[in-house]
């Protein structure tokens, strides 16, 4: 039941972000799918206790790979597919918590949470970079035999 | 047509394509790549470009003096459809399906066109997304409707204040303050359960996700200046949202 509601909401949220960023109409569903798959990986890993950092890394890597495949297949810029998927992974909740602790003058708590949030942003970036590198390697190895 | 004018024409077409892309939120490396490909396809081998979020410098090396042009970009929005359209024009030029003149008219049409979804659609999208995010961050369904309302209200304020005062930081700050106040009002009225979940969900439409992804991609592609300035813009936005919420929290 939890999984179903997560599935539906992540699809709707990603597609809605597609609308806000003015993605072409025909790619809205694809935005939703890439966002949904990425979020499900994140959610399943996090739900089963693998930690948010690993979950974010895996999810952002998957989203970037899916977007690259879609971008190649539909001959559209990759950014259309990747942006909507990445947004749910941004550590908004943690940053909010950090801000909340800051306002309550719990500075040690603030630093702990902020450090966690920056670790997650780092994982997000590394996931994106990994797939970029993978893409480059594949493109190179594809070109070599010609 | 003598050689002199045609080189300038090619430059103009490339710069127009680059300008539309940059204004619509494309990555820096894509802008440079597109301009270079177009110039190559139109018969100019040696080009150099330098693109930052605020300026495009494009230079063509030829026999004789190099020709250089500069375009200043002051207003940036997010319009991925235009990026896709310019991309397809550049593909057509590369494959030789479109000539210089058709490309110019096509790009001019794209620049003038208003392709955005209507404001009501965008508002509805922002509102629904807020509600969904509340559920995704393990909120309960009781909090779904309050975050739809708060998120929609916040987005409306962000757009409205931005029209009123063209300082992005300020409008985001105000919008998140209003999200905080609305969420708090819903809790006090007994319409919602968890203040934290409602606020986090509602704030998500304002989060600079596009900037963050672009900043990372630009940094990886070696565009250090663009990457860092986009990162700074993202950080400023996040800071504005955070301090807006902090104001409300400190009032409670």
């Amino acid at each position: 039941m939890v999984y179903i509601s997560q599935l539906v909401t992540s699809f709707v949220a990603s597609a809605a972000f597609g609308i806000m960023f003015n993605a072409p109409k025909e790619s809205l569903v694809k935005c939703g799918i890439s966002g949904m798959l990425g979020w499900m990986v994140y959610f399943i890993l996090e739900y089963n206790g693998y930690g948010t950092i690993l979950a974010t890394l895996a999810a952002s890597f998957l989203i970037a790979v899916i977007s690259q495949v879609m971008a190649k297949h539909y001959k559209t810029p990759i950014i259309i597919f990747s942006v909507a998927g990445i947004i749910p992974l941004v550590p908004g909740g943690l940053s909010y918590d950090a801000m909340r602790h800051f306002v309550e003058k719990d500075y040690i708590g603030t630093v702990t949470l902020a450090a966690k949030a920056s670790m997650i942003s780092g994982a997000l970036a590394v996931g994106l970079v990994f797939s970029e590198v993978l893409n480059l390697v594949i493109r190179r190895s594809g070109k070599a035999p010609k | 047509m003598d050689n002199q004018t045609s080189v300038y024409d090619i430059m103009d077409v490339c710069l127009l394509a680059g300008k539309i892309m940059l204004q619509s939120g494309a990555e820096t490396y894509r802008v440079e790549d597109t301009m270079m490909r177009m110039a190559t396809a139109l018969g100019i081998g040696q080009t150099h470009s330098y693109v930052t979020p605020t300026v495009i410098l494009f230079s063509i090396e030829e026999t004789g003096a190099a020709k250089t042009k500069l375009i200043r970009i002051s207003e940036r929005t997010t319009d991925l459809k235009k990026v896709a359209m310019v991309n397809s024009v550049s593909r057509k030029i590369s494959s030789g399906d479109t000539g210089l003149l058709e490309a110019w008219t096509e790009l001019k049409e794209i620049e003038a066109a208003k392709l955005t979804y209507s404001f009501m659609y965008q508002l509805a999208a922002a509102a629904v997304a807020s509600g969904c995010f509340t559920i995704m961050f393990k909120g309960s369904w009781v909090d779904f409707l309050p975050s739809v309302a708060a998120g929609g209200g916040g987005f409306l304020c962000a757009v409205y204040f931005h029209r009123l005062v063209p300082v992005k930081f300020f409008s985001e700050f105000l919008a998140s303050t209003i999200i905080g106040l609305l969420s708090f009002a819903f809790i006090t009225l007994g319409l919602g359960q968890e203040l934290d979940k409602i606020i986090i969900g509602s704030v998500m439409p304002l989060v600079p996700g596009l900037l963050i992804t672009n900043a990372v991609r630009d940094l990886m592609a070696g565009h250090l200046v663009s990457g860092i300035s986009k990162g700074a813009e993202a950080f400023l936005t996040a800071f504005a949202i955070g301090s807006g919420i902090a104001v409300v929290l400190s009032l409670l």
Side-chain angles (χ1 to χ4, degrees):
Chain A
M1 191 55 217
V2 187
Y3 289 120
I4 294 171
S5 65
Q6 292 289 323
L7 211 67
V8 174
T9 47
S10 59
F11 179 82
V12 174
S14 304
F17 258 98
I19 294 181
M20 281 163 62
F21 288 146
N22 257 322
K25 260 195 202 100
E26 58 276 8
S27 62
L28 286 181
V29 173
K30 295 162 205 157
C31 285
I33 289 171
S34 84
M36 181 177 76
L37 291 176
W39 181 257
M40 280 331 276
V41 166
Y42 172 85
F43 189 76
I44 289 169
L45 285 178
E46 205 251 5
Y47 203 64
N48 295 314
Y50 286 95
T52 35
I53 293 177
L54 182 70
T56 309
L57 183 67
S60 72
F61 178 70
L62 182 77
I63 288 169
V65 168
I66 293 174
S67 318
Q68 251 153 20
V69 172
M70 283 185 172
K72 198 153 244 171
H73 189 258
Y74 296 107
K75 292 196 165 53
T76 30
I78 178 172
I79 184 179
I80 290 181
F81 306 110
S82 59
V83 163
I86 291 294
I87 282 179
L89 301 175
V90 173
L94 267 178
S95 324
Y96 167 82
D97 266 349
M99 191 54 86
R100 172 148 208 173
H101 281 265
F102 182 70
V103 173
E104 286 162 355
K105 297 201 177 68
D106 173 11
Y107 299 120
I108 294 167
T110 311
V111 174
T112 318
L113 287 165
K116 261 192 199 163
S118 62
M119 284 289 280
I120 290 178
S121 320
L124 197 75
V126 170
L128 284 176
V129 172
F130 262 176
S131 79
E132 199 105 320
V133 171
L134 197 74
N135 182 34
L136 270 179
V137 170
I138 290 171
R139 218 188 280 166
R140 289 256 166 83
S141 62
K143 252 180 203 164
K146 274 179 197 170
Chain B
M1 203 180 343
D2 64 330
N3 189 37
Q4 199 69 12
T5 50
S6 92
V7 168
Y8 277 112
D9 286 346
I10 293 171
M11 260 178 120
D12 280 342
V13 170
C14 294
L15 273 172
L16 182 61
K19 183 182 161 203
I20 299 173
M21 282 195 131
L22 198 61
Q23 279 180 335
S24 311
E27 312 98 299
T28 309
Y29 89 94
R30 181 178 297 285
V31 175
E32 288 192 356
D33 192 53
T34 307
M35 293 199 305
M36 225 176 65
R37 273 164 201 263
M38 283 173 71
T40 314
L42 291 169
I44 290 173
Q46 272 290 339
T47 54
H48 303 276
S49 56
Y50 178 69
V51 179
T52 74
T54 48
V55 89
I56 302 179
L57 264 167
F58 190 64
S59 162
I60 284 180
E61 243 176 70
E62 246 209 329
T63 44
K67 299 174 181 66
T68 307
K69 265 199 171 183
L70 179 147
I71 282 192
R72 181 85 166 88
I73 309 288
S74 47
E75 187 72 24
R76 287 181 303 281
T77 52
T78 308
D79 193 340
L80 296 182
K81 189 161 190 183
K82 281 191 178 175
V83 177
M85 285 169 85
V86 175
N87 195 52
S88 74
V89 170
S90 118
R91 269 173 195 279
K92 272 194 271 174
I93 289 180
S94 296
S95 65
D97 292 342
T98 319
L100 188 64
L101 212 67
E102 295 110 86
W104 172 257
T105 39
E106 223 171 298
L107 286 172
K108 271 284 170 202
E109 270 168 29
I110 295 175
E111 192 191 21
K114 272 198 78 84
L115 303 157
T116 48
Y117 293 93
S118 74
F119 182 66
M120 286 316 288
Y121 270 123
Q122 292 200 331
L123 183 60
V128 170
S130 307
C132 288
F133 276 120
T134 302
I135 305 298
M136 282 161 78
F137 296 136
K138 302 192 187 111
S140 58
W141 282 99
V142 184
D143 292 333
F144 184 78
L145 282 180
S147 28
V148 166
F155 185 74
L156 188 69
C157 291
V159 173
Y160 181 71
F161 286 133
H162 190 63
R163 271 181 210 160
L164 216 63
V165 192
V167 182
K168 225 175 132 220
F169 182 85
F170 184 68
S171 55
E172 275 149 0
F173 173 79
L174 278 181
S176 64
T177 311
I178 280 165
I179 287 175
L181 288 174
L182 275 175
S183 314
F184 182 63
F186 287 132
I187 295 288
T188 5
L189 290 172
L191 293 169
Q193 265 175 353
E194 292 167 283
L195 179 67
D196 295 355
K197 305 281 183 209
I198 298 178
I199 290 183
I200 296 172
S202 314
V203 155
M204 285 310 273
L206 303 177
V207 166
L210 184 82
L211 279 172
I212 294 172
T213 18
N214 275 352
V216 173
R217 289 190 61 112
D218 277 346
L219 279 177
M220 284 310 116
H223 295 282
L224 303 177
V225 175
S226 314
I228 288 173
S229 52
K230 277 183 191 170
E233 199 179 348
F235 177 76
L236 259 182
T237 309
F239 186 69
I241 297 171
S243 41
I245 296 294
V247 166
V248 178
L249 287 178
S250 60
L251 287 177
L252 302 187

